[in-house]
Amino acid sequence: RKEEEACSGGTAGSTRGYRANKTRGQLVTCLMRQSQLERRIALQLLQVRLEKDVIRNNRLQREQQYMQRRLKDFDEALNHEAEVARLTKKEYQDQCEKELARHENIAWENQQAKYQKRYNVCKDTLLQIVDFSCIAGYYKEHYTALPFLPSRGLPYPAHGGGGTGREF
């Protein structure tokens, strides 16, 4: 209020000279107070701008940190996914190798079974041929006087005390 009174003039009952000096003094005082106020306001504005800049810079730094953290998390997720994919691929390859080994084992067993079957057929056929030739030799030796070889009715030759004739 005093500043307003000082800036607005003074009281109405004063003399003119006194009034002019007083008015000048009040004007100077008023201007000085206004300039001090302006300085204070200017300082406050400067402080507010500096605080605003600090806040903005802090926000930018925080956003950069968030961005770096997101990128780091994304890279970690990619690395994790790559590791999971690598382990899955390795497990799949191991499983394929086991299946291949099992398949090869089954194929080898089947091949051995086929070989054994063919071997047994050949062995039986060969033994039958040997038996037939032995029987034919026996009949030829013992029944050469006959004009023909009978197909049935003749005894099977026993070699050394009975048996099937296959014991050699």
Side-chain angles (χ1 to χ4, degrees):
R1 220 155 200 251
K2 289 180 182 178
E3 291 175 6
E4 290 176 8
E5 288 178 10
C7 291
S8 62
T11 59
S14 314
T15 59
R16 213 176 192 163
Y18 175 74
R19 212 184 217 188
N21 284 336
K22 192 175 182 182
T23 306
R24 276 190 217 141
Q26 286 177 347
L27 185 62
V28 169
T29 306
C30 182
L31 287 175
M32 285 178 61
R33 284 184 186 162
Q34 281 183 349
S35 66
Q36 287 176 351
L37 234 137
E38 286 175 354
R39 275 191 230 130
R40 248 189 263 141
I41 291 173
L43 282 175
Q44 287 176 350
L45 279 175
L46 185 61
Q47 287 176 345
V48 168
R49 285 181 187 162
L50 289 175
E51 289 174 0
K52 190 176 176 181
D53 287 340
V54 168
I55 290 171
R56 184 176 37 234
N57 289 336
N58 288 343
R59 186 177 63 235
L60 290 174
Q61 287 177 352
R62 195 171 44 244
E63 286 176 2
Q64 287 177 349
Q65 289 173 349
Y66 289 151
M67 179 70 81
Q68 289 172 353
R69 182 64 188 171
R70 281 192 296 264
L71 289 174
K72 183 180 176 187
D73 290 345
F74 182 72
D75 287 341
E76 287 175 358
L78 284 178
N79 291 338
H80 178 71
E81 288 295 322
E83 184 67 21
V84 168
R86 187 185 66 78
L87 290 176
T88 304
K89 184 178 179 181
K90 186 175 180 346
E91 288 175 7
Y92 178 74
Q93 287 175 342
D94 291 344
Q95 183 181 2
C96 286
E97 288 174 3
K98 287 178 184 177
E99 287 292 321
L100 184 61
R102 191 173 73 85
H103 174 72
E104 288 174 353
N105 190 25
I106 291 171
W108 184 81
E109 289 173 357
N110 288 340
Q111 185 180 10
Q112 288 297 321
K114 285 181 184 179
Y115 173 80
Q116 191 63 40
K117 181 180 174 184
R118 290 182 190 131
Y119 178 81
N120 290 337
V121 167
C122 291
K123 181 180 173 184
D124 289 343
T125 305
L126 184 62
L127 288 176
Q128 288 175 2
I129 291 172
V130 169
D131 282 346
F132 181 73
S133 60
C134 286
I135 291 172
Y138 174 80
Y139 283 129
K140 192 170 192 178
E141 185 180 316
H142 291 312
Y143 299 107
T144 53
L146 295 176
F148 66 92
L149 282 175
S151 62
R152 286 192 220 174
L154 295 176
Y156 188 82
H159 299 284
T164 60
R166 293 187 180 180
E167 297 97 14
F168 294 104

